[in-house]
Structures are given as C-alpha cells and as structure tokens.
Amino acid sequence: MRAKSVTLRGVSKSFGHVQAVYTQDLEIRAGEFLTLLGPSGCGKTTILRMIAGLEPVSTGTIFVGEEDVTGCPPNRRDTSIMFQDYALFPHKTVRDNIAYGLKMRGQSEAARSKAAEDWLARIDLNGYGTRLPSALSGGQRQRVALARALILEPGVLLLDEPLGALDAGLRRHLQIELRRLHRDVGLTFIAVTHDQEEAMTMSDRIAVMRDGRVEQLGTPADIYDHPRTEFVARFLGRCSVIEGRVVAGDASGVVQVETAALGSILASGTAALGANVRLALRPEALILDEAGLARARVTDAVFTGNAIRLRLIASDGTGLELDLPRGAPVPAIGTDAGLRLPPGSAILLTS
C-alpha cells in the first residue's frame, strides 16, 4: 500500500442557495491521520464526500497525490470510504463482504478468498468468515467494514463517523484500535466526527470546522493548548471565558491583562496595549489557593471520574470551572474560595 496526499484548492460546495462549504484550501499529508471535527451542519461530511467523488465540487480542484481527480468518478480516485452505518451486505458472509471490492475488480475467487482471510487475521476475526453480519457485534461489524475498505489498497481511506454507531465503552476501545491500524497500514486516513475525544485520541492533526469553513488546523495538543477562537476553545475541551484589558506586554508572547473576574493575570498571546480581549481558561488551569488574590463563590461540585469539577461565580458574575484531583479537599457549596492562575495559562482569543 502507498499513502497519498490530498489537496483541496479553492474548493467550495453549494446546494442551491445554501452554501455548505465556503472556498477552502486544505493540504492533507500522505500517511497522516487527519480528522474533520465540528458540529452537525458545519460542512465536514460534504468535504469528505467531495474527496470521495460522491458530491461534485461547485468550485475548485481536488488532487489525490499528483492527480487531479475533480471530475473523476469514485472508482477512479484511489480512495476508499467507510460509511457510518458500515453498509455491509446482510445476505453475504463476512468473507464475501470483505472481498466484494476485489470481486468487482475481476479477481479470481481463490485470490480474493485468500486476501479476505488475511484481513480477517489482521482484524482479529479468524474463524468468522462464514458468519453473516447479523451474527456480529457492532465492533466486529466495524472491523469488517474497515477490512472491506482496506483490502482494495487505496492511497486514502475516508471514514464517515466511523465509531458513531457504537456505545461509549466500545467506542473508546476502538479509537485506539483504529489508531493502531493506521500505523500498521501506513495509509492516509481522513475521518469525520463531532466527538472531540475521538478526534483527540486518533488524529495526527485536526481541522475544526464551523459554518462551512476550517476555523483552525493543527495537532490535537496545539489546538487544545492554543485555540484561536472561543468556538474552538469551547468545542475542543471545556473552558471558561473571561474579559479584560491589556495593560502590558512584550514580544515574548505573554501579555498582562486586567480582568474584573480574577484581577491582573498573565496570558499567552499577543495584543495591542489597551485592547479589550477575551481569555479562555481550561478547568485544569485554575488552582484553589486560599492565599490567592482572586476569590469566587462555589456553586456546585460534580464528580467526573478522575476529578471533581467545581463551578464557581467570580465577583463580577463570570462563571468559572476548576478541576480538583480526586482526594483533594472540596470546599463547601456557597463558600468563597481563593484562586490562583499560573502565569501564561490563560489563552488569548482572537474572536
């Protein structure tokens, strides 16, 4: 198998008067796992379908590797797609489902049967070849659908909500399995999801989409630690947003901001002196500290599994969230708590 890059140049898509995807340039590297992440209706599935050839572009050009595939039918694009519902043939055996694409290519029964058995071994379903899809669990059907797509040895695998039909526990397990499979086969994977945990776990890079546009593109760590906008900060993880005014700064990427909620704080980012700004605070950034200069009233404490999430109200009415490690003392609801914010842990937002 040989991974291929995917390039979108000036690509857009409209359905009548509805603009689903605005003019978009996007470079997807050969061999990477890129996830299009965003809420329903943001255009992520439309982009995937345009890459697959299932939707024509309204404007622009799509390259798979060096080849312009904009006008090519799906079977001429060196891509393979796995749909959310897996689209397995209910009357065909697991082996025949996996080998179906090879049959359409005219391979002999012996060759496609051997290839299917090889893939059954790779997805840990040895001995399942004669079963029907109805006899499999959701996770097993997902692996069969993956094998059916990968047996064609495409340069690019497209995944439309690949884990959306599974329960939460199995979904977390298969996130790791899908990441492992990506490393094993070395192909380009492009996935669509609205699940932030899924995107963070599986991806080399994430394209966060909003209203038909890519709002931010980067590694999971980059986007989580340095979201550019409030939408990205809230969509990829939890955060509180506070307002302030820049009172000092330099070229080092740290500015001093005066806020009503937490007083004077140092935030990462750049902004003009005197500018009114918005700051994002991750729940793990704020620290309970009775010696802290800022104070807020505790309104709730929620057990989240690995932490206790406190909800607080600052003196100016701004809502805040703070994660306490399990076992740490939990202040009583209705009491005031001292807060400290390490320098640079607040994130300056551009919008």
Side-chain angles (χ1 to χ4, degrees), residues 146-219:
L146 274 171
R148 183 179 63 179
L150 289 169
I151 200 171
L152 298 174
E153 300 187 349
V156 180
L157 177 64
L158 307 171
L159 303 151
D160 184 11
E161 298 276 6
L163 309 179
L166 306 175
D167 63 71
L170 184 56
R171 192 161 60 241
R172 283 191 290 271
H173 171 71
L174 288 176
Q175 288 165 12
I176 305 300
E177 287 299 302
L178 195 55
R179 179 70 175 169
R180 178 190 61 78
L181 184 61
H182 170 255
R183 288 196 302 266
D184 288 348
V185 300
L187 294 180
T188 305
F189 280 23
I190 306 173
V192 158
T193 186
H194 62 273
D195 187 301
Q196 57 175 275
E197 179 186 341
E198 193 172 300
M200 295 272 280
T201 300
M202 299 190 305
S203 312
D204 295 316
R205 290 192 301 160
I206 298 171
V208 182
M209 293 196 62
R210 179 188 188 190
D211 296 335
R213 296 180 175 88
V214 173
E215 188 131 324
Q216 188 168 344
L217 173 66
T219 67

Side-chain angles (χ1 to χ4, degrees), residues 248-256 266-270 343-344:
D250 53 37
S252 66
V254 176
V255 295
Q256 184 177 352
L266 296 176
S268 59
T270 57

Side-chain angles (χ1 to χ4, degrees), residues 29-62:
R29 303 162 187 155
E32 81 169 324
F33 196 135
L34 180 128
T35 298
L36 300 165
L37 173 70
S40 297
C42 70
K44 57 187 186 296
T45 298
T46 302
I47 287 181
L48 196 78
R49 290 177 62 84
M50 287 192 291
I51 295 171
L54 300 174
E55 290 287 353
V57 303
S58 296
T59 65
T61 309
I62 296 176

Side-chain angles (χ1 to χ4, degrees), residues 287-295 337-341:
I287 299 171
L288 278 187
D289 184 351
E290 282 308 308
L293 297 179
R295 302 195 70 79
L339 300 176
R340 176 168 59 86
L341 187 68

Side-chain angles (χ1 to χ4, degrees), residues 10-48:
V11 168
S12 71
K13 179 64 181 179
S14 59
F15 296 95
H17 298 296
V18 177
Q19 193 72 30
V21 176
Y22 289 86
T23 303
Q24 188 68 62
D25 292 335
L26 184 61
E27 298 277 348
I28 302 163
R29 303 162 187 155
E32 81 169 324
F33 196 135
L34 180 128
T35 298
L36 300 165
L37 173 70
S40 297
C42 70
K44 57 187 186 296
T45 298
T46 302
I47 287 181
L48 196 78

